[in-house]
Amino acid sequence: MQDRSESESRKLLRRLRDTLAEPGQGQERLDRITGLIAESMLTDVCSIYLFRDRDTLELCATRGLNPEAVHRTRLRLGEGLVGRVARTATAVNTADAPNERGFRYMPETGEEIYSSFLGVPIQRLGEKLGVLVVQSREARAYSDDEVYALEVVAMVLAEMTELGAFVSDDTPIANPHKHPVMLRGGSGQEGTAEGHVWLHEPRVVVTNLVNDDPEAETARLRDAVERLRVSVDDLLRLTANADKEQREVLEAYRMFAKSRGWLRRMEQSIESGLSAEAAVEKEQSEARARLQTVPDPYLRERLHDLDDLSNRLLRILTGQGSDTGAVMPDRPILVARNIGPGELLEYGRKLRGVVLEEGSVGSHAAVVARALAIPLVVHCEAITTEALNGDPIIVDGNEGVVHLRPDETVAAAFRDKIVMQTEAAARYAALRDLPAVARCGTRVGLHMNAGIMADLPSLKGSGAEGVGLFRTELQFLLRNSMPRRSELAALYARVLKAADGKRVVFRTLDIGSDKVMPYMNRPEEPNPAMGWRAVRVGLDKPGVMRMQLQALIRAAAGRSLTVMFPLIAEHSEFASAREILLREIERESHFGHPLPETLEIGAMLETPSLAFAPDSFFRQVDFVSIGGNDLKQFFFAADRENELVRRRYDTLSVPFLSFLQHIVRRCQDAGTRLSFCGEDAGRPTEALAFAGLGIHTLSMRPAAIGPVKDLILRADLGDVAALIAEAQRDGRDSLRPALEAYVRGLGRG
């Protein structure tokens, strides 16, 4: 075996293909394969270990070890040399296995007589499936050619496992894509939906794994790579004015596409007997395995680029474009690794929900999902490899949980939950035209958040009293070039017309952090959330701010105009931004353009520092809106995009409520209007606490207005204020237990 030739390697793969094509159950096939590999590689032992669950490997077939150990010998992930191969997804090759670090002796296998050991992972596109092992009595290290040959065989076994070739009653292998799976992620948008999977990027199915003509396969691969290179070069020319990040990705595509090492490794796999498609998938699987062990974010992004490039190459080779001809199922739930806001908007209201393998709670996609009022789950690991088009799926955006192919018990429980939500929605609809007046007589203004025209129909349907936050950045983010002033003015005018006299608070451009305009250079920052963003960009680049303010003034055309500047950290920033707006008012007057009937200029309080601004700030500003999402993360020093900490700190923490109470008093002393805007404003219990503190204007997603109003109508804000005072006096950490007990005591309205 040490001097085996490339033709012998191809011969092994062809024999393997023929063996897999023979009729038989899963165990029969595994037994034949281990015998075939041992004979071809001239080894004493060949064994296949497969995962029976996420953390346990089971010996499923062997030639050479004690056959009684099959389905009895099990190893934990990381246990012994086999467990080490599985955990690290890298080969272990040793001439003296018993003395190798981490060796675990399994007496029932009878392996003590074998010195040499070679184990390689069986994996497909980053998914660990098992370990393929050969052993010999002779104490020797296996050659590089032998290691590579075994890796090629393992890759074919992985593909056959994916196709269900080893499924039977006598193996632990579950039929792929058939059984129920529960996946946990993060909540990007609340809500519950049941439907069917619609893959944003359909899976590329590779069925021809072994080649009979290496020269022809190599020619196919080279032709496909050349077409790939041309397409990447074309993309680069078309995006000559794109932002740095977008061009960086395309430059990485070009670098990988022109990498001789990348092409050489795939050609080597073809020489060993794989088809061109299988060679690409082998390289892609190894890249994904490396991806899981790389801590550096930049390198991880580059490996993601390589993964994307491999998918493009597979589509060229197979002819399976993104449009497969599949028909979108009823009640589609979109599943994707990630998606941009423009692509999500194209799907529109056809979707019942969205599940992303990546994404974030503050991403543009999350903003669009909220506008479409559909549940969103982010950071849902492995969903794109596990799901198939048409699979039944349930999305629980409240808990960040996805049930793929749920059994009837789970589905029935969620249907009951959806029915209850529908009944509650009907109850809330009956309250739509009622003001939110608590039992104590205090009225709480409930407003909605918006960001696109698709949001505006909810203004009437939800019973919102106005738009407490209109995010203006989406019109900038959805384009490849800066929008013109006339386009923005026309859009803002349509918003005001749709509002039909109700107050609309326009927040000026809030970019930076995770919101990057594709046509604007973005500086490298170690912590973008606390860096050059929002009003800081506007003050440093006043041309963009002035253009937007001019568009807002012209859109008002004699109507009332309300403008709010984001992320104000100190009085001087607000004063400077306010002065720019007033100068634009003077300029529009000079040109004879109609001026707003009334003008309100406000600030978003998202940094703790602004709560301690001088009295002159609170007297100068017309209104203050607490930006709860950012204020909470800065108050607790807990990144809201970090799943490890974002749920660690409670909004109903007594210190946080005491801080909000300080803001309430500052505004009351100055006679300044105050509102709360953010996800927590749409959670009934939290909204009740804010109202009890004295924040009597809340802005939230439209779907939350009904539940919040329902609770406020049943509550006495004096009782809530007393609970807050009691918690402060007693030195409690959280108001939540006491407030939730109070809410339960109110019963259902």
Side-chain angles (χ1 to χ4, degrees), residues 147-202:
V147 174
Y148 193 83
L150 198 65
E151 288 175 338
V152 169
V153 171
M155 188 268 170
V156 174
L157 293 181
E159 290 296 330
M160 298 310 296
T161 302
E162 168 70 10
L163 295 172
F166 307 125
V167 175
S168 69
D169 294 337
D170 49 4
T171 68
I173 307 170
N175 208 332
H177 313 298
K178 297 293 182 184
H179 291 271
V181 178
M182 186 187 81
L183 300 166
R184 287 195 175 275
S187 173
Q189 161 69 5
E190 296 172 348
T192 305
E194 182 182 13
H196 299 91
V197 169
W198 180 251
L199 293 170
H200 181 56
E201 293 182 341

Short mmCIF file of all heavy atoms in Angstrom, two decimals, residues 147-202:
data_model
loop_
_atom_site.label_atom_id
_atom_site.label_comp_id
_atom_site.label_asym_id
_atom_site.label_seq_id
_atom_site.Cartn_x
_atom_site.Cartn_y
_atom_site.Cartn_z
N VAL A 147 -2.93 8.68 3.55
CA VAL A 147 -3.81 9.57 4.31
C VAL A 147 -4.81 10.23 3.37
O VAL A 147 -6.02 10.27 3.64
CB VAL A 147 -3.00 10.63 5.07
CG1 VAL A 147 -3.93 11.65 5.74
CG2 VAL A 147 -2.11 9.98 6.12
N TYR A 148 -4.30 10.73 2.25
CA TYR A 148 -5.16 11.43 1.31
C TYR A 148 -6.20 10.46 0.73
O TYR A 148 -7.38 10.81 0.59
CB TYR A 148 -4.33 12.05 0.19
CG TYR A 148 -5.12 13.03 -0.64
CD1 TYR A 148 -5.30 14.34 -0.22
CD2 TYR A 148 -5.73 12.64 -1.83
CE1 TYR A 148 -6.03 15.25 -0.96
CE2 TYR A 148 -6.48 13.53 -2.59
CZ TYR A 148 -6.62 14.84 -2.14
OH TYR A 148 -7.37 15.73 -2.87
N ALA A 149 -5.77 9.25 0.39
CA ALA A 149 -6.70 8.27 -0.17
C ALA A 149 -7.81 7.96 0.81
O ALA A 149 -8.99 7.86 0.43
CB ALA A 149 -5.95 6.99 -0.54
N LEU A 150 -7.48 7.82 2.10
CA LEU A 150 -8.50 7.52 3.09
C LEU A 150 -9.45 8.71 3.27
O LEU A 150 -10.65 8.54 3.48
CB LEU A 150 -7.86 7.13 4.43
CG LEU A 150 -8.79 6.38 5.39
CD1 LEU A 150 -9.18 5.02 4.82
CD2 LEU A 150 -8.12 6.18 6.75
N GLU A 151 -8.91 9.93 3.19
CA GLU A 151 -9.77 11.12 3.28
C GLU A 151 -10.75 11.17 2.11
O GLU A 151 -11.92 11.57 2.28
CB GLU A 151 -8.91 12.39 3.30
CG GLU A 151 -8.16 12.60 4.60
CD GLU A 151 -7.24 13.80 4.56
OE1 GLU A 151 -6.86 14.22 3.44
OE2 GLU A 151 -6.89 14.30 5.64
N VAL A 152 -10.29 10.78 0.91
CA VAL A 152 -11.17 10.76 -0.25
C VAL A 152 -12.29 9.74 -0.05
O VAL A 152 -13.47 10.00 -0.33
CB VAL A 152 -10.36 10.44 -1.53
CG1 VAL A 152 -11.29 10.15 -2.70
CG2 VAL A 152 -9.44 11.60 -1.88
N VAL A 153 -11.93 8.56 0.46
CA VAL A 153 -12.94 7.53 0.72
C VAL A 153 -13.94 8.03 1.77
O VAL A 153 -15.15 7.84 1.65
CB VAL A 153 -12.27 6.22 1.19
CG1 VAL A 153 -13.31 5.23 1.67
CG2 VAL A 153 -11.46 5.61 0.06
N ALA A 154 -13.42 8.70 2.82
CA ALA A 154 -14.29 9.23 3.87
C ALA A 154 -15.27 10.24 3.31
O ALA A 154 -16.42 10.32 3.74
CB ALA A 154 -13.45 9.85 4.99
N MET A 155 -14.80 11.02 2.34
CA MET A 155 -15.68 12.03 1.74
C MET A 155 -16.83 11.34 0.99
O MET A 155 -18.00 11.77 1.08
CB MET A 155 -14.85 12.88 0.77
CG MET A 155 -15.60 14.08 0.22
SD MET A 155 -16.40 13.68 -1.34
CE MET A 155 -17.40 15.13 -1.55
N VAL A 156 -16.53 10.24 0.26
CA VAL A 156 -17.59 9.50 -0.44
C VAL A 156 -18.56 8.90 0.57
O VAL A 156 -19.78 8.93 0.38
CB VAL A 156 -16.97 8.40 -1.34
CG1 VAL A 156 -18.07 7.53 -1.94
CG2 VAL A 156 -16.13 9.03 -2.44
N LEU A 157 -18.04 8.35 1.67
CA LEU A 157 -18.90 7.79 2.70
C LEU A 157 -19.83 8.87 3.28
O LEU A 157 -21.00 8.60 3.57
CB LEU A 157 -18.07 7.17 3.82
CG LEU A 157 -17.25 5.93 3.47
CD1 LEU A 157 -16.50 5.42 4.70
CD2 LEU A 157 -18.15 4.83 2.92
N ALA A 158 -19.30 10.09 3.45
CA ALA A 158 -20.11 11.18 3.98
C ALA A 158 -21.26 11.50 3.03
O ALA A 158 -22.40 11.71 3.46
CB ALA A 158 -19.25 12.42 4.20
N GLU A 159 -20.96 11.55 1.73
CA GLU A 159 -22.01 11.84 0.75
C GLU A 159 -23.05 10.73 0.74
O GLU A 159 -24.25 11.00 0.64
CB GLU A 159 -21.40 12.01 -0.65
CG GLU A 159 -20.58 13.27 -0.82
CD GLU A 159 -21.43 14.52 -0.69
OE1 GLU A 159 -22.63 14.49 -1.02
OE2 GLU A 159 -20.90 15.54 -0.22
N MET A 160 -22.60 9.48 0.84
CA MET A 160 -23.55 8.37 0.83
C MET A 160 -24.39 8.36 2.11
O MET A 160 -25.56 8.00 2.09
CB MET A 160 -22.80 7.03 0.67
CG MET A 160 -22.03 6.91 -0.64
SD MET A 160 -23.00 7.33 -2.11
CE MET A 160 -24.27 6.06 -2.07
N THR A 161 -23.79 8.78 3.21
CA THR A 161 -24.55 8.90 4.46
C THR A 161 -25.64 9.94 4.29
O THR A 161 -26.78 9.77 4.71
CB THR A 161 -23.62 9.29 5.63
OG1 THR A 161 -22.60 8.30 5.76
CG2 THR A 161 -24.39 9.40 6.93
N GLU A 162 -25.29 11.08 3.65
CA GLU A 162 -26.26 12.14 3.40
C GLU A 162 -27.41 11.64 2.52
O GLU A 162 -28.56 12.04 2.69
CB GLU A 162 -25.57 13.33 2.73
CG GLU A 162 -26.47 14.39 2.16
CD GLU A 162 -27.20 15.21 3.23
OE1 GLU A 162 -26.85 15.07 4.42
OE2 GLU A 162 -28.11 15.95 2.87
N LEU A 163 -27.10 10.72 1.59
CA LEU A 163 -28.12 10.19 0.69
C LEU A 163 -28.89 9.02 1.31
O LEU A 163 -29.76 8.44 0.67
CB LEU A 163 -27.47 9.75 -0.63
CG LEU A 163 -26.85 10.88 -1.47
CD1 LEU A 163 -26.07 10.31 -2.64
CD2 LEU A 163 -27.92 11.84 -1.96
N GLY A 164 -28.54 8.66 2.56
CA GLY A 164 -29.29 7.62 3.27
C GLY A 164 -28.89 6.21 2.91
O GLY A 164 -29.67 5.27 3.13
N ALA A 165 -27.66 6.01 2.40
CA ALA A 165 -27.25 4.68 1.94
C ALA A 165 -27.08 3.68 3.07
O ALA A 165 -27.11 2.46 2.84
CB ALA A 165 -25.94 4.79 1.15
N PHE A 166 -26.87 4.13 4.31
CA PHE A 166 -26.58 3.21 5.42
C PHE A 166 -27.71 3.14 6.44
O PHE A 166 -27.53 2.62 7.54
CB PHE A 166 -25.28 3.63 6.11
CG PHE A 166 -24.12 3.79 5.17
CD1 PHE A 166 -23.40 4.98 5.11
CD2 PHE A 166 -23.78 2.79 4.29
CE1 PHE A 166 -22.35 5.14 4.23
CE2 PHE A 166 -22.73 2.93 3.39
CZ PHE A 166 -22.01 4.12 3.36
N VAL A 167 -28.85 3.68 6.08
CA VAL A 167 -29.98 3.66 7.01
C VAL A 167 -30.62 2.28 7.02
O VAL A 167 -30.92 1.71 5.97
CB VAL A 167 -31.03 4.72 6.60
CG1 VAL A 167 -32.26 4.61 7.49
CG2 VAL A 167 -30.43 6.11 6.67
N SER A 168 -30.78 1.72 8.19
CA SER A 168 -31.51 0.46 8.36
C SER A 168 -31.81 0.28 9.83
O SER A 168 -31.32 1.03 10.68
CB SER A 168 -30.71 -0.73 7.82
OG SER A 168 -29.57 -0.97 8.62
N ASP A 169 -32.59 -0.74 10.15
CA ASP A 169 -32.97 -0.98 11.54
C ASP A 169 -31.78 -1.42 12.39
O ASP A 169 -31.82 -1.31 13.61
CB ASP A 169 -34.06 -2.06 11.61
CG ASP A 169 -35.36 -1.60 10.97
OD1 ASP A 169 -35.56 -0.37 10.89
OD2 ASP A 169 -36.15 -2.46 10.55
N ASP A 170 -30.72 -1.93 11.73
CA ASP A 170 -29.60 -2.46 12.51
C ASP A 170 -28.41 -1.50 12.57
O ASP A 170 -27.30 -1.89 12.92
CB ASP A 170 -29.13 -3.81 11.93
CG ASP A 170 -28.93 -3.76 10.41
OD1 ASP A 170 -29.08 -2.65 9.84
OD2 ASP A 170 -28.63 -4.81 9.81
N THR A 171 -28.60 -0.24 12.22
CA THR A 171 -27.55 0.78 12.40
C THR A 171 -28.16 1.96 13.16
O THR A 171 -29.37 2.15 13.14
CB THR A 171 -27.00 1.30 11.04
OG1 THR A 171 -28.03 2.05 10.39
CG2 THR A 171 -26.54 0.16 10.16
N PRO A 172 -27.31 2.76 13.84
CA PRO A 172 -27.84 3.89 14.60
C PRO A 172 -28.10 5.13 13.75
O PRO A 172 -28.43 6.18 14.27
CB PRO A 172 -26.71 4.16 15.60
CG PRO A 172 -25.46 3.80 14.85
CD PRO A 172 -25.84 2.62 14.01
N ILE A 173 -27.94 4.99 12.41
CA ILE A 173 -28.02 6.16 11.55
C ILE A 173 -29.47 6.50 11.25
O ILE A 173 -30.22 5.66 10.75
CB ILE A 173 -27.25 5.92 10.23
CG1 ILE A 173 -25.83 5.45 10.53
CG2 ILE A 173 -27.24 7.17 9.38
CD1 ILE A 173 -25.10 4.98 9.31
N ALA A 174 -29.84 7.72 11.57
CA ALA A 174 -31.19 8.19 11.26
C ALA A 174 -31.26 8.59 9.80
O ALA A 174 -30.27 9.06 9.22
CB ALA A 174 -31.55 9.36 12.15
N ASN A 175 -32.42 8.37 9.20
CA ASN A 175 -32.60 8.79 7.82
C ASN A 175 -32.47 10.31 7.75
O ASN A 175 -33.19 11.03 8.44
CB ASN A 175 -34.00 8.38 7.35
CG ASN A 175 -34.04 8.15 5.85
OD1 ASN A 175 -33.27 8.75 5.11
ND2 ASN A 175 -34.94 7.29 5.42
N PRO A 176 -31.52 10.82 6.96
CA PRO A 176 -31.30 12.27 6.95
C PRO A 176 -32.53 13.03 6.47
O PRO A 176 -33.23 12.59 5.56
CB PRO A 176 -30.11 12.44 5.99
CG PRO A 176 -30.09 11.21 5.16
CD PRO A 176 -30.63 10.12 6.03
N HIS A 177 -32.77 14.16 7.12
CA HIS A 177 -33.85 15.07 6.73
C HIS A 177 -35.23 14.44 6.84
O HIS A 177 -36.15 14.81 6.12
CB HIS A 177 -33.64 15.58 5.29
CG HIS A 177 -32.25 16.04 5.02
ND1 HIS A 177 -31.67 17.10 5.69
CD2 HIS A 177 -31.29 15.57 4.18
CE1 HIS A 177 -30.43 17.26 5.26
NE2 HIS A 177 -30.17 16.36 4.36
N LYS A 178 -35.37 13.48 7.75
CA LYS A 178 -36.68 12.83 7.93
C LYS A 178 -37.22 12.99 9.34
O LYS A 178 -38.42 12.98 9.56
CB LYS A 178 -36.59 11.33 7.60
CG LYS A 178 -36.22 11.01 6.16
CD LYS A 178 -37.33 11.42 5.21
CE LYS A 178 -36.98 11.04 3.76
NZ LYS A 178 -37.99 11.52 2.81
N HIS A 179 -36.33 13.13 10.32
CA HIS A 179 -36.76 13.10 11.71
C HIS A 179 -36.92 14.52 12.28
O HIS A 179 -36.31 15.46 11.79
CB HIS A 179 -35.76 12.30 12.55
CG HIS A 179 -35.77 10.84 12.24
ND1 HIS A 179 -36.59 9.95 12.87
CD2 HIS A 179 -35.07 10.12 11.32
CE1 HIS A 179 -36.39 8.74 12.38
NE2 HIS A 179 -35.47 8.81 11.44
N PRO A 180 -37.71 14.64 13.34
CA PRO A 180 -37.88 15.96 13.97
C PRO A 180 -36.57 16.48 14.54
O PRO A 180 -35.76 15.71 15.08
CB PRO A 180 -38.90 15.69 15.09
CG PRO A 180 -39.58 14.42 14.71
CD PRO A 180 -38.56 13.62 13.96
N VAL A 181 -36.35 17.78 14.42
CA VAL A 181 -35.16 18.42 14.97
C VAL A 181 -35.59 19.73 15.63
O VAL A 181 -36.37 20.48 15.06
CB VAL A 181 -34.12 18.73 13.86
CG1 VAL A 181 -32.91 19.45 14.44
CG2 VAL A 181 -33.68 17.45 13.17
N MET A 182 -35.06 19.97 16.83
CA MET A 182 -35.29 21.26 17.48
C MET A 182 -33.97 22.02 17.50
O MET A 182 -32.95 21.48 17.93
CB MET A 182 -35.80 21.10 18.91
CG MET A 182 -36.18 22.44 19.55
SD MET A 182 -36.60 22.34 21.29
CE MET A 182 -34.96 22.33 22.02
N LEU A 183 -33.98 23.24 17.01
CA LEU A 183 -32.78 24.06 16.95
C LEU A 183 -33.00 25.35 17.74
O LEU A 183 -34.08 25.95 17.66
CB LEU A 183 -32.44 24.40 15.49
CG LEU A 183 -32.19 23.20 14.57
CD1 LEU A 183 -32.22 23.62 13.12
CD2 LEU A 183 -30.84 22.55 14.89
N ARG A 184 -31.98 25.75 18.48
CA ARG A 184 -32.08 26.98 19.28
C ARG A 184 -31.23 28.08 18.65
O ARG A 184 -30.11 27.84 18.22
CB ARG A 184 -31.60 26.73 20.71
CG ARG A 184 -32.58 25.92 21.53
CD ARG A 184 -32.27 25.99 23.02
NE ARG A 184 -33.29 25.29 23.79
CZ ARG A 184 -34.43 25.83 24.17
NH1 ARG A 184 -34.70 27.09 23.85
NH2 ARG A 184 -35.32 25.14 24.86
N GLY A 185 -31.80 29.27 18.63
CA GLY A 185 -31.06 30.43 18.16
C GLY A 185 -31.36 31.61 19.07
O GLY A 185 -31.55 31.44 20.28
N GLY A 186 -31.43 32.78 18.49
CA GLY A 186 -31.77 33.98 19.25
C GLY A 186 -33.01 34.62 18.66
O GLY A 186 -33.32 34.47 17.48
N SER A 187 -33.74 35.32 19.50
CA SER A 187 -34.97 35.99 19.04
C SER A 187 -34.62 37.30 18.35
O SER A 187 -34.07 38.20 18.97
CB SER A 187 -35.90 36.25 20.24
OG SER A 187 -37.00 37.02 19.84
N GLY A 188 -34.95 37.39 17.05
CA GLY A 188 -34.74 38.63 16.32
C GLY A 188 -36.01 39.44 16.21
O GLY A 188 -35.98 40.66 16.07
N GLN A 189 -37.15 38.76 16.24
CA GLN A 189 -38.47 39.40 16.21
C GLN A 189 -39.47 38.41 16.78
O GLN A 189 -39.49 37.24 16.41
CB GLN A 189 -38.84 39.78 14.77
CG GLN A 189 -40.32 40.03 14.51
CD GLN A 189 -40.84 41.30 15.18
OE1 GLN A 189 -40.07 42.04 15.77
NE2 GLN A 189 -42.12 41.53 15.12
N GLU A 190 -40.26 38.88 17.70
CA GLU A 190 -41.20 37.99 18.39
C GLU A 190 -42.33 37.56 17.48
O GLU A 190 -42.59 38.16 16.45
CB GLU A 190 -41.73 38.69 19.64
CG GLU A 190 -40.66 38.98 20.68
CD GLU A 190 -41.16 39.84 21.83
OE1 GLU A 190 -42.27 40.39 21.71
OE2 GLU A 190 -40.43 39.96 22.83
N GLY A 191 -43.01 36.50 17.90
CA GLY A 191 -44.13 35.96 17.13
C GLY A 191 -43.97 34.47 16.91
O GLY A 191 -42.88 33.90 17.11
N THR A 192 -45.04 33.80 16.53
CA THR A 192 -45.03 32.36 16.28
C THR A 192 -45.65 32.10 14.92
O THR A 192 -46.65 32.72 14.55
CB THR A 192 -45.84 31.63 17.36
OG1 THR A 192 -45.33 31.98 18.65
CG2 THR A 192 -45.73 30.12 17.20
N ALA A 193 -45.05 31.18 14.17
CA ALA A 193 -45.59 30.86 12.84
C ALA A 193 -45.34 29.39 12.53
O ALA A 193 -44.32 28.81 12.92
CB ALA A 193 -44.96 31.74 11.77
N GLU A 194 -46.28 28.80 11.79
CA GLU A 194 -46.13 27.43 11.30
C GLU A 194 -46.22 27.48 9.78
O GLU A 194 -47.05 28.20 9.22
CB GLU A 194 -47.23 26.53 11.87
CG GLU A 194 -47.10 25.09 11.41
CD GLU A 194 -48.22 24.19 11.95
OE1 GLU A 194 -49.22 24.74 12.45
OE2 GLU A 194 -48.09 22.96 11.83
N GLY A 195 -45.36 26.73 9.12
CA GLY A 195 -45.38 26.74 7.66
C GLY A 195 -44.45 25.71 7.08
O GLY A 195 -44.22 24.65 7.67
N HIS A 196 -43.89 26.05 5.91
CA HIS A 196 -42.99 25.14 5.20
C HIS A 196 -41.72 25.87 4.80
O HIS A 196 -41.76 27.06 4.47
CB HIS A 196 -43.68 24.56 3.95
CG HIS A 196 -44.91 23.76 4.26
ND1 HIS A 196 -46.17 24.34 4.32
CD2 HIS A 196 -45.09 22.45 4.59
CE1 HIS A 196 -47.06 23.41 4.63
NE2 HIS A 196 -46.43 22.26 4.80
N VAL A 197 -40.63 25.16 4.81
CA VAL A 197 -39.31 25.74 4.52
C VAL A 197 -39.25 26.21 3.07
O VAL A 197 -39.66 25.50 2.14
CB VAL A 197 -38.19 24.71 4.78
CG1 VAL A 197 -36.85 25.21 4.22
CG2 VAL A 197 -38.08 24.42 6.28
N TRP A 198 -38.70 27.42 2.91
CA TRP A 198 -38.32 27.91 1.58
C TRP A 198 -36.88 28.38 1.68
O TRP A 198 -36.58 29.36 2.36
CB TRP A 198 -39.23 29.05 1.12
CG TRP A 198 -38.86 29.58 -0.25
CD1 TRP A 198 -38.30 30.78 -0.55
CD2 TRP A 198 -39.01 28.90 -1.50
NE1 TRP A 198 -38.09 30.90 -1.90
CE2 TRP A 198 -38.52 29.75 -2.51
CE3 TRP A 198 -39.50 27.64 -1.86
CZ2 TRP A 198 -38.52 29.40 -3.85
CZ3 TRP A 198 -39.50 27.30 -3.21
CH2 TRP A 198 -39.02 28.16 -4.18
N LEU A 199 -35.98 27.64 1.04
CA LEU A 199 -34.55 27.95 1.12
C LEU A 199 -34.21 29.12 0.21
O LEU A 199 -34.51 29.09 -0.99
CB LEU A 199 -33.71 26.73 0.73
CG LEU A 199 -33.76 25.54 1.70
CD1 LEU A 199 -33.08 24.33 1.08
CD2 LEU A 199 -33.11 25.89 3.03
N HIS A 200 -33.57 30.14 0.79
CA HIS A 200 -33.16 31.30 0.00
C HIS A 200 -32.11 30.89 -1.03
O HIS A 200 -32.11 31.39 -2.16
CB HIS A 200 -32.60 32.36 0.94
CG HIS A 200 -32.16 33.62 0.27
ND1 HIS A 200 -32.99 34.37 -0.53
CD2 HIS A 200 -30.96 34.27 0.28
CE1 HIS A 200 -32.33 35.42 -1.00
NE2 HIS A 200 -31.11 35.38 -0.52
N GLU A 201 -31.22 29.99 -0.64
CA GLU A 201 -30.21 29.44 -1.56
C GLU A 201 -30.35 27.92 -1.54
O GLU A 201 -29.85 27.26 -0.63
CB GLU A 201 -28.79 29.84 -1.13
CG GLU A 201 -28.54 31.34 -1.26
CD GLU A 201 -27.12 31.70 -0.86
OE1 GLU A 201 -26.48 30.89 -0.17
OE2 GLU A 201 -26.66 32.78 -1.24
N PRO A 202 -31.06 27.34 -2.52
CA PRO A 202 -31.31 25.90 -2.51
C PRO A 202 -30.02 25.10 -2.46
O PRO A 202 -28.98 25.51 -2.99
CB PRO A 202 -32.06 25.66 -3.83
CG PRO A 202 -32.61 26.99 -4.20
CD PRO A 202 -31.66 28.01 -3.68
#
